[in-house]
Amino acid sequence: MEDTPVDPSSGRLAAFFRPRVGGLPRAFWALWTGTLLNRLGTMVQPFLGLYLTTVRGLSLGEAGLVMATLGAGSLCGTLAGGALADRIGRRATLTIATVGSGVSMLALGYAHGIVAIVAAALLVGMLLDMHRPAAQAMIADIISPQDRPRAFGLLFWAINLGWAVAMVVGGLLAQQGFLWLFWIDALTCAGFGLLVWRAIPETRARDHGGPGVFKGFGEVLRDRVMVGYVLISVAYIFVLMQAMTTMPLAMKEDGLGPRDYGIAIAANGVVIITVQPLVNAWLARRDHSLVMAAGCVLVGIGFGLTAPASSLAAYTAAILVWTLGEITAATVLQAVVADLAPAHLRGRYNGLYAMAWSGGFLLAPLGGTQLLALGGGSALWLTCMGLAFAAAAALLALAPAIRRRHDGVLKATFSSE
C-alpha cells in the first residue's frame, strides 16, 4: 500500500499556527469565543457622542458629561468586579456583569431627558467593565506565565476582529437608526455571559476567597510597582480613548459623518487582525517594559499626525500609525499585571488595572471635549502626543522593577514543575 503524500503547504501552515494558537486549554477558547461575540456587538460606545448630540439633542458639554458619567460608573464597577472575582469567583462575576450590561444598555437606549440619560449611563458604566478583571484573572489562572503574552495577544486579536466588523456595521446602522446599536450591543453582552456560564468551569482556587468584597485593596495599593504601572497606563489609555470619544466629534467638525468615522476606525481593526499575529510571538520574547514604551512612542506619533488631518484619507493614515503602537503595547500590557499579581489577589490587581481603562475613559471625554472646544483639533492631538511620550519615559524608569518581578515569576514557575 502506497503512503499518501503529505502536502508541504499543510506542514508549513501547521508550523505557522502551532506556536501561535496551539496548546491552550478549552476554557480559554470558550472565553475567546465569548469575547469575540461581545466585541462584534460593541457599537454604542464609539457612536455615543454622535447619538447624544444628534438624536437626543444634547450640547457638546452635556454629551461629555454623560460619557464621563459612564466612565465614573466604570471606575466603581471595575473595583467591584475585581473584588467579586476573588470572592465569589470569576465565572459568576463575569456572567452577572455581562447579562446586566445587556439590560442596562437597553435602558440607556430608551432614556429621554438629561437626568434619565445620566442615570442610565451610570448603570451601564458600573456593569460594562465589571467583567474585565474576572476575565483577565481567569486567563492568569489557567495559562502558564510563559504563555500568557500569547494568550492575551489572541484575546486582543479577537477583540479587534469584532471591533473592525462592529465599526463598519455600526456606522451603517447608525444611519438607519441608533436604536439598532443598543439592541445588538445588549444581545451580544448577554450572549457572552450565558456562554461563559455554560462552557467555563470556575478557575479560582477554593482557598483564595480572601477578605470581604471591598477589603484587600490595601495590599494592592502598597505595591508601588503596580500603582506606578497603573498611573502610566491611565495616561496611555487617555490618549487611546480619544479614538472612541472625541475623534468622531473632531471628524464631524471637518464635515465627516458616522460612516466616514466607521470606515476610518475600522482600519485600526484591519491592521491589528493582519499584523498582530505576525509580530505577537516575537514581541512577547522581548523586555515587557521596553516593548510597551516603544508602543507608547508610536501611539504618540500617530495621534500627533492627526492634528493636521481634515480628510478621510488623512485620518485613516494617522490611525494606521498609532495602531502599530497599540499592537506593540497590547502584547505585554496585561501580561505585566499577571506577573505582578499574587494568585489570591488576581481579581483585585486586575480590578485596579481595569480602573486605568475606566479612568482613561472618564478623563478622555472630559479633557478631550474641553481641548477640542478651546483649542480645536490641533490642541487635542498634540496634547495626546505629549502624554504618550511622557508615558514612554515613565515606563523606562519603571522597567528594572517590572523586569525583576517577571524574572521572579518565571523562576518560581520553573522550580515548581
Side-chain angles (χ1 to χ4, degrees), residues 37 53 115 166 234 312 359:
L37 172 66
T53 55
V115 174
V234 169
L312 176 59

Side-chain angles (χ1 to χ4, degrees), residues 163-164 168 261-272 316-317 319-320 323:
W163 169 264
V168 175
Y261 171 68
I263 292 172
I265 203 66
N268 168 264
V270 171
V271 172
I272 290 172
T316 304
I319 288 170
L320 293 177
T323 296

